[in-house]
Amino acid sequence: MKTPKLTYALLAMAAAATLTGCDENSWNKHIDGFDEINDEPIADVRTIDYTLTAADYNAIATNATNKALAGEEGADALAAVGKNKCFSEAISAADYVPAFLESTSFPYFTLTDGSAVKLTYNLQNDVPAAVAAGRSAQAITIADDYYADEVWYDTEDHINAFAPSHPAENYLAAYLADYADPAEGTVCVVTYNNAQSDPVFGGADQPVGPVDVYSKAFTDNIDGYTIDNKLLPPELEYVWSYGGEIYGAKAAAYKDGTSYATESWLISPEVSLDGVTDITMTFEHVVNKFPSAEFAREHCTMLVKVVGTSTWTPVAIPQYTNNDSWTFGASGDIDLNAFQGKNIQFAFRYVSLEGQSGTWEIKNLVIKGMPAADNAPARASALQGLVIDKVAAAYAYSEETGEWSPADYVVLQPDTYSQMGQSHANLATAEPYLSTYLALTFPYAPAETVKNVLWLHYAGGSTSYDCTQYVSNGTAWTANNFVTEETAQFVRNAGHWLYNPNVTLVLPAGKNQELSTLYFQACVDWVYENICVPLGDTSIKSGKFYVTSYGNNEYYSGTSAYQGNVDLRADKAREQYPAGYEGMTDDQIVTLMKERFMNEVMPGALARLHPDAAPIPGIDLLYTITFGVYTGTSTTYTAVFKVTAPATFEPVSCTWDNPE
């Protein structure tokens, strides 16, 4: 009997462990079939289709042979294969897959010489320079002492923030010139404090006028505000949203011709009204498309509550627009004196009914008050009313000018992470967060709009900036990972795996041979479309020219999808289409059919079945086809074709040209 491979392997290990002192083969003489095993090496020759898994990319990146091949110079690029689950220009599949195939990490590591693996893998294509630079962005935070020393030039009368009178854009480039290092990345995300209104400095005896206690334009974002959807039907994704720089904060409950019943609140952050008197709020707004102006007044309202309490108090909005246009109007002065000295939140409450809705848009909100002039300095009182945001902005370094300037990125703001439900200012994954954020921030972005988003990525126990490119289709945003799926062939020869893109096809003769039927029918179709139709044929089954009335074989070159071979019988060719071979001898007909097969018909079929075939620099990409020929007796031949251009095949050789 013959011992199975696994049994043989176990016996070999047992021998090594227990009989090391004996003659290496003496004990085997008592095992039935031992001589057969020695005489017949175990072979496992197969062609495998295999797709790399996430674990496989890790195995490739940590493979000792691959590490030695990459060296110190390519170590980071090799590690990126494991992290990103894709190959790159620096680390190619052709160079780094063979070591994996020879390791036990490959499930089919027992394959022997003559085997082939058609491997499907991910390939990282060229990443746009802006995205690549964003992925290695520096992160810098403005130091507190910089505001006093370089912005306000006063160690007493200053705030640790920029303000409308001292805008950040006037200072950031100079700051980065001093503290950022272009060698560490040509993009820098700088985080700073920004006051929404100017502070008022000076003693209590210095007269002051009304000051901005709080402001929110809504024309750049609605960051810092929370949305409480008390009634949101499944047909709607949101009611309140950012409407863009023209429309500000926007509420609507109309979609696809239907008005839905909703209730949604847009709630402000905490605002301190301590240290100020005569407090008023104003904003610009517009109501339109409601059933009536009175309906809009009753269903677009404002409420205020003291922080730490649960009671919301309605506050009157003096003025509304007439519900007949999209022209913004003033709200009038909204009295907030009832909340003097308190920390408050205010909410814009939007309500719609089934079949009755409209749009409410709000922008340029300001709360003003007079600084109190009692026993505390006016400066301190005014500062207590300031709202200071933490802002992140992207800057890029130009080697040409040697300067930093604002860069065209969408930077996820520090307070946005908490709005996304994160306990820390970072994300472990981009999705589902960033596509939703972009949909809310740019709701009217046309198709093919591209945004590069800079966001803090938590991975491996640390946080750093990452950059993801998104593309809009007009309704949704999709991440562009610049990765394509590729397939390459590797073959095992002389005990090693090698990249071999050449394609070998065996087309067995006979009926119902799936692969033969596929390729030879492609040949028949090519003859019909390129030869018979120009001759006047109107049906592949007409039988008038080279293709027979069965529509599955032809005598222009002899291919037969029915028989799965090439029929080179001259008499049958002459019988099918006499006009095509008039005055020719049998030998001349056979020679002509062979030439047509090699130069026209099979190249045409290959172009149809392999439209993605393209030359590979430095390599002759060959398609080798073994097929059957019938001339009264059956013979097998092999033809070779070279890819010379995309989907273009040039004949190289055929064994029927070899002398007997």
Side-chain angles (χ1 to χ4, degrees), residues 521-601:
Q521 186 62 53
C523 290
V524 175
D525 292 343
W526 186 93
V527 170
Y528 170 71
E529 294 169 5
N530 294 275
I531 305 301
C532 297
V533 169
L535 289 172
D537 213 343
T538 58
S539 170
I540 196 171
K541 292 186 177 181
S542 72
K544 292 181 180 179
F545 299 99
Y546 290 100
V547 179
T548 72
S549 60
Y550 295 104
N552 58 13
N553 66 314
E554 52 81 17
Y555 283 98
Y556 183 76
S557 69
T559 59
S560 172
Y562 179 68
Q563 296 290 349
N565 64 12
V566 178
D567 186 349
L568 292 181
R569 291 179 294 174
D571 59 327
K572 292 295 182 181
R574 190 181 291 112
E575 179 183 320
Q576 170 59 34
Y577 185 44
Y581 298 105
E582 186 175 354
M584 298 179 66
T585 67
D586 286 359
D587 287 344
Q588 289 173 331
I589 291 174
V590 171
T591 298
L592 179 59
M593 292 174 72
K594 287 180 177 180
E595 290 175 353
R596 289 169 170 173
F597 176 84
M598 290 296 293
N599 293 293
E600 300 176 67
V601 179

Side-chain angles (χ1 to χ4, degrees), residues 380-446:
S381 300
L383 294 184
Q384 290 180 19
L386 284 177
V387 175
I388 296 178
D389 300 316
K390 194 169 286 293
V391 180
Y395 274 66
Y397 181 78
S398 169
E399 292 185 357
E400 182 177 346
T401 64
E403 297 177 348
W404 293 88
S405 59
D408 186 19
Y409 292 90
V410 175
V411 184
L412 217 58
Q413 295 302 305
D415 63 349
T416 305
Y417 297 95
S418 61
Q419 296 174 29
M420 292 176 171
Q422 305 302 301
S423 57
H424 296 86
N426 55 47
L427 298 173
T429 60
E431 287 303 307
Y433 307 103
L434 298 189
S435 59
T436 302
Y437 173 80
L438 291 171
L440 293 172
T441 307
F442 306 100
Y444 305 112

